[in-house]
């Protein structure tokens, strides 16, 4: 049998070595030692040649070698924390038992354990994101804005990434400016503050004075290595999400990495900032009653943007607002008007309205046509989306159905927008309120109940799976609209943080009324366009339908205005009562 396989037979033969001490043994040993030394020298020479070659390549191509090493390191940080978090959830995250299956104490213990795992995992991920910086910080900021999608422990942990970013050195900033503009910092500016006035995940801003004109400007400069690492970072995030999905099939957040992949190249080209800012200025040029200011763009390259310097503070700085006698409720209202106008009418939406991108600038009362004692300053114009007219119409119909609690219409428009039959959950994500509030037509009333993710999780153990299914099904443009909604809700909450609960709730009601107003405008305009393009046997019939459409809008909008005025009066009484109680206690 072995004869048919000669190589097997040879492999199984025992090699006979000479007996120690014999002449043949001495000859064999000498020959073997020489061969061994020769092979060692060959290996040493080969190793030395490879080492010298590697060192030479590294010296000659230092940037490439450094980039490869740094990319491997950043990827390893992401891979390491992904494995740690996945293992922690796999080992320590208990299932939430069905209602009534365990005692109340046991249920609370399980919920505490789940919360601890969420906090522990979020902290690990946050540290990894901060270590890598750049695109990873942007990912953390996306997570922090998903308050009605992800556990609150994750959102609260990631919120600090909105403000705490590492600044690049002045030398690095100078190199970027010189490479992109062809001029040094001293050639461009007579004054250039070494300390940045703002540091974000992708760039930082310095105050400066132009040498040629003496104008005070803000200079936005991209961090030097962000663009270099962006491709590998996005690829790493995509692989990381795919890995988590392979371990936990219910995790379907690959859309988040896809969205970053689509958005980041636009945000990294500051020429887009200039184009978008000028578009917004043009869009609001006819709205003199809205106190919106967009800094004038002076010069833009891919990594350097020079713009008009506008003084002000974050819109949620309540101490600053009080110092300048600025009413937070007016700030909230005008922010809502700006973004409702963008969403429902203009279709050109700023998709990153966190408080660091919304400043308030004081001004003298009556010094502007809008009549307010402040301006809203809209910053960071890198992330915009063009909303198609059909999407705006369907989105407006969905919101208007939610306001009326019309379940048949909610189901219809939810299916149109989300592509799923989970209309109740989609409504909850969209409004931030429980389905019971929407179902009982209480969304725009004083009995509206706030959304509670923990309570909803107890009622629906498969909630997270359903949320990921909804978000994986909706079109990409709607994902950014949802993110914008969440950020605006967060801004509203901060603006009314020190107000009585009744005032806070009335502020929420006014938000619903404002949304209803703009939904009615979008629906009116869409229906008017449809009537105008529809063939009519009798021309007067078309005019009749257009008049009816306009009258329907007017009656509905007038009812909203009356309700809004009633809320203003109620707010005045609530504030007077609060002041009276304080004065009585004092």
């Amino acid at each position: 049998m072995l004869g048919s396989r000669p190589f097997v037979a040879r492999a199984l033969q025992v090699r006979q070595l000479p007996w120690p001490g014999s002449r043949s043994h001495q000859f064999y040993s000498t020959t073997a030692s020489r061969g061994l030394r020769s092979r060692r020298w060959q290996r040493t020479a080969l190793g030395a040649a490879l080492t010298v070659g590697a060192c030479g390549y590294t010296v000659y191509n230092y940037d490439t070698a450094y980039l490869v090493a740094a990319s491997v390191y950043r990827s390893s940080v992401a891979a390491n924390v992904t494995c740690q978090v996945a293992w922690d959830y796999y080992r320590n995250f208990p299932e939430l038992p069905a209602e009534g299956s365990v005692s109340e104490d046991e249920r609370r213990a399980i919920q505490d354990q789940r919360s601890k795992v969420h906090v522990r995992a979020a902290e690990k991920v946050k540290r990894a994101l901060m270590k890598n910086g750049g695109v990873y910080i942007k990912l953390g900021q996306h997570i922090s804005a998903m308050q009605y999608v992800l556990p609150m422990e994750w959102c609260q942990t990631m919120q600090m990434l909105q403000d705490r970013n590492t600044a690049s050195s002045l030398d690095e900033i100078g190199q970027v400016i010189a490479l992109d503009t062809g001029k040094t910092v001293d050639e461009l500016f007579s004054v250039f503050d070494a300390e940045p006035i703002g540091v974000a995940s992708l760039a930082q801003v310095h105050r400066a004075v132009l040498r040629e004109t003496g104008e005070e400007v803000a200079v936005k400069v991209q961090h030097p290595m962000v663009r270099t690492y962006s491709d590998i970072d996005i690829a790493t995030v995509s692989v990381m999400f795919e890995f988590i999905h392979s371990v936990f099939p219910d995790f379907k957040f690959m859309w988040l990495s896809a969205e970053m992949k689509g958005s980041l190249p636009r945000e990294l080209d500051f020429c887009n900032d200039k184009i978008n800012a000028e578009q917004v200025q043009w869009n609001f040029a006819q709205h003199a009653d809205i106190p919106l200011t967009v800094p004038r763009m002076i010069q833009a390259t891919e990594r350097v943007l020079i713009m008009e310097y506008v003084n002000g503070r974050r819109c949620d700085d309540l101490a600053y607002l009080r110092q300048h006698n600025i009413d937070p409720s007016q700030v909230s209202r005008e922010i809502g008007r700006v973004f409702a106008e963008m969403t429902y009418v203009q279709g050109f939406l700023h998709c990153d309205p966190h408080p660091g991108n919304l400043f308030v600038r004081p001004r003298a009362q009556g010094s502007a046509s809008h009549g307010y004692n402040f301006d809203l300053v809209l910053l960071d114009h890198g992330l915009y989306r063009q909303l198609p007219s059909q999407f705006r119409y369907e989105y407006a119909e969905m919101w208007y159905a939610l306001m009326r609690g019309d379940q048949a219409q909610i189901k219809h428009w939810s299916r149109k927008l989300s592509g799923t039959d989970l209309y109740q959950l989609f409504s909850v994500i969209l409004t931030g309120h429980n389905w019971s509030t929407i179902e009982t037509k209480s969304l725009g009333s004083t009995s509206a109940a706030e959304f509670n993710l923990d309570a909803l999780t107890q009622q629906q153990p498969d909630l997270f799976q359903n949320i990921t299914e909804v978000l994986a099904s909706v079109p990409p443009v709607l994902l950014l609209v949802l993110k914008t909604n969440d950020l605006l809700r967060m801004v509203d909450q901060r603006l009314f943080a020190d107000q009585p609960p009744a005032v806070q709730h009335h502020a929420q009601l006014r938000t619903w009324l404002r949304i209803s107003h703009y939904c009615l405008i979008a629906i009116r305009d869409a229906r008017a366009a449809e009537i105008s393009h529809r063939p009519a046997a009798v021309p007067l019939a078309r005019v009749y339908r257009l008049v009816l459409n306009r009258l329907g809008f007017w009656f509905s909008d007038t009812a909203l205005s009356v309700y809004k005025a009633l809320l203003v009066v109620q707010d005045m009484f609530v504030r007077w009562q609060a002041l009276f109680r304080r004065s009585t206690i004092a």
Side-chain angles (χ1 to χ4, degrees):
M1 184 174 179
L2 290 176
S4 63
R5 297 185 184 178
F7 64 93
V8 176
R10 286 196 297 272
L12 292 176
Q13 288 175 358
V14 178
R15 186 174 183 181
Q16 298 296 321
L17 295 180
W19 188 258
S22 64
R23 290 175 61 88
S24 59
H25 173 262
Q26 293 174 3
F27 172 78
Y28 181 85
S29 299
T30 304
T31 305
S33 63
R34 286 175 180 171
L36 183 60
R37 285 196 297 271
S38 176
R39 287 193 296 274
R40 283 177 179 169
W41 275 109
Q42 288 174 0
R43 287 196 298 268
T44 303
L46 179 61
L50 290 174
T51 302
V52 171
C55 291
Y57 177 83
T58 302
V59 171
Y60 188 74
N61 299 280
Y62 172 79
D63 290 342
T64 303
Y66 175 79
L67 175 61
V68 170
S71 298
V72 169
Y73 171 76
R74 293 164 69 83
S75 300
S76 67
V77 170
N80 181 46
V81 75
T82 301
C83 293
Q84 287 184 27
V85 169
W87 180 251
D88 197 3
Y89 272 104
Y90 179 75
R91 287 291 303 273
N92 303 313
F93 194 70
E95 291 287 335
L96 194 63
E99 193 76 35
S101 60
V102 296
S103 68
E104 199 62 34
D105 290 341
E106 289 175 322
R107 190 175 187 83
R108 276 196 295 269
I110 291 173
Q111 289 172 342
D112 289 343
Q113 174 66 15
R114 288 164 64 95
S115 180
K116 287 176 182 176
V117 175
H118 283 322
V119 171
R120 191 164 60 237
E123 284 291 341
K124 288 177 182 177
V125 171
K126 183 191 72 177
R127 288 194 294 270
L129 298 180
M130 293 180 68
K131 185 179 291 186
N132 279 349
V135 173
Y136 290 93
I137 297 290
K138 202 74 178 173
L139 173 62
Q141 292 173 349
H142 273 282
I143 293 172
S144 73
M146 301 166 69
Q147 297 181 38
Y148 297 93
V149 176
L150 295 178
M152 190 54 63
E153 293 89 345
W154 277 86
C155 298
Q156 290 175 346
T157 301
M158 296 298 167
Q159 275 182 6
M160 59 91 64
L161 296 178
Q162 296 285 1
D163 303 310
R164 299 184 188 178
N165 296 283
T166 304
S168 298
S169 68
L170 193 58
D171 287 341
E172 290 173 326
I173 292 300
Q175 290 173 10
V176 173
I177 291 174
L179 286 171
D180 270 46
T181 66
K183 294 183 179 181
T184 65
V185 171
D186 289 337
E187 289 173 334
L188 281 171
F189 309 105
S190 58
V191 175
F192 191 89
D193 287 355
E195 191 71 23
I197 56 178
V199 182
S201 56
L202 304 182
Q204 62 193 57
V205 180
H206 292 258
R207 191 189 68 85
V209 176
L210 287 174
R211 186 171 291 280
E212 287 187 3
T213 63
E215 181 181 1
E216 189 176 19
V217 294
V219 185
K220 181 180 177 181
V221 186
Q222 195 173 112
H223 296 306
M225 299 305 292
V226 167
R227 184 182 294 271
T228 306
Y229 292 135
S230 62
D231 290 339
I232 186 67
D233 285 349
I234 292 174
T236 302
V237 169
S238 300
V239 170
M240 179 175 66
F241 279 21
E242 290 287 351
F243 170 75
I244 298 174
H245 177 58
S246 67
V247 177
F248 303 102
D250 291 344
F251 184 94
K252 299 176 183 178
F253 279 87
M254 285 75 72
W255 56 265
L256 187 53
S257 60
E259 172 53 38
M260 290 181 64
K261 189 175 183 179
S263 299
L264 197 64
R266 304 179 196 179
E267 291 189 78
L268 289 176
D269 186 352
F270 290 171
C271 294
N272 288 324
D273 283 57
K274 185 173 185 293
I275 294 169
N276 293 337
E278 290 169 350
Q279 178 67 52
V280 172
Q281 283 179 318
W282 188 87
N283 287 349
F284 282 90
Q286 303 303 318
H287 292 274
D289 59 324
I290 297 179
L292 180 67
T293 294
V294 176
R296 178 173 52 87
M297 302 292 143
I298 298 171
Q299 180 183 345
T301 66
E302 285 192 351
R303 296 189 297 169
V304 179
L305 178 65
I306 303 174
M307 69 193 98
E308 168 194 10
Y309 178 80
V310 179
N311 195 19
R313 291 281 187 86
R314 289 168 51 117
C315 66
D316 61 346
D317 189 339
L318 297 179
Y320 181 77
L321 298 183
R322 282 194 294 268
Q323 179 186 347
H324 293 88
N325 297 316
I326 297 173
D327 186 353
S329 64
Q330 290 184 345
V331 174
S332 168
R333 181 175 67 242
E334 296 311 310
I335 290 174
R337 287 182 66 198
V338 167
F339 281 89
E341 187 75 30
M342 287 180 172
T343 303
Y344 298 102
V345 181
Q346 299 168 359
F348 190 62
L349 180 63
H350 186 300
C351 295
D352 199 17
H354 62 80
N357 288 338
L358 287 166
F359 272 36
V360 172
R361 176 178 64 178
R363 65 184 306 152
Q365 186 78 45
S367 62
S369 56
H370 52 66
Y372 295 100
N373 65 337
F374 66 90
D375 286 326
L376 286 175
V377 184
L378 188 59
L379 304 172
D380 194 357
H381 300 273
L383 185 58
Y384 275 77
R385 278 297 181 274
Q386 191 76 47
L387 308 182
S389 57
Q390 183 64 26
F391 169 83
R392 298 202 308 272
Y393 169 67
E394 292 175 357
Y395 188 66
E397 287 279 17
M398 176 68 187
W399 264 108
Y400 195 51
L402 288 168
M403 296 298 176
R404 293 177 285 124
D406 187 336
Q407 292 192 47
Q409 288 294 299
I410 291 171
K411 190 173 183 178
H412 172 76
W413 294 111
S414 175
R415 178 68 185 174
K416 282 267 190 180
L417 284 169
S418 70
T420 73
D421 292 322
L422 299 170
Y423 66 95
Q424 295 184 9
L425 183 58
F426 181 64
S427 302
V428 168
I429 293 172
L430 201 58
T431 62
H433 280 266
N434 293 324
W435 172 250
S436 59
T437 300
I438 302 166
E439 185 180 27
T440 56
K441 305 180 182 181
S442 303
L443 194 59
S445 73
T446 54
S447 60
E450 287 293 332
F451 171 73
N452 188 314
L453 185 63
D454 293 333
L456 203 59
T457 305
Q458 294 176 25
Q459 298 167 12
Q460 303 180 26
D462 57 350
L463 175 67
F464 185 74
Q465 179 182 351
N466 290 338
I467 287 176
T468 57
E469 183 180 339
V470 170
L471 295 180
S473 303
V474 301
V477 67
L478 182 54
L479 292 171
L480 277 179
V481 172
L482 292 174
K483 175 200 168 189
T484 304
N485 281 350
D486 284 347
L487 286 170
L488 291 173
R489 273 195 284 258
M490 179 183 70
V491 170
D492 246 13
Q493 288 170 2
R494 294 184 180 182
L495 281 169
F496 290 94
D498 62 349
Q499 294 295 318
V503 174
Q504 292 181 17
H505 188 67
H506 288 172
Q508 180 68 76
L509 293 182
R510 280 195 295 273
T511 298
W512 301 137
L513 295 175
R514 184 168 51 247
I515 290 174
S516 297
H517 167 72
Y518 279 95
C519 286
L520 287 171
I521 291 176
I523 294 168
R524 177 201 67 190
D525 293 347
R527 290 178 180 173
E530 182 187 357
I531 293 169
S532 299
H533 289 90
R534 187 190 304 163
V538 181
L540 285 177
R542 178 181 296 162
V543 174
Y544 175 71
R545 287 196 294 269
L546 287 171
V547 170
L548 283 182
N549 180 51
R550 177 71 66 168
L551 284 174
F553 163 78
W554 184 83
F555 281 120
S556 299
D557 200 47
T558 300
L560 294 177
S561 299
V562 171
Y563 187 26
K564 195 184 303 180
L566 179 62
L567 289 176
V568 171
V569 174
Q570 289 179 343
D571 270 0
M572 291 172 59
F573 278 112
V574 170
R575 284 175 174 153
W576 286 341
Q577 287 175 349
L579 287 172
F580 178 73
R581 289 195 193 100
R582 288 175 193 166
S583 61
T584 303
I585 293 172

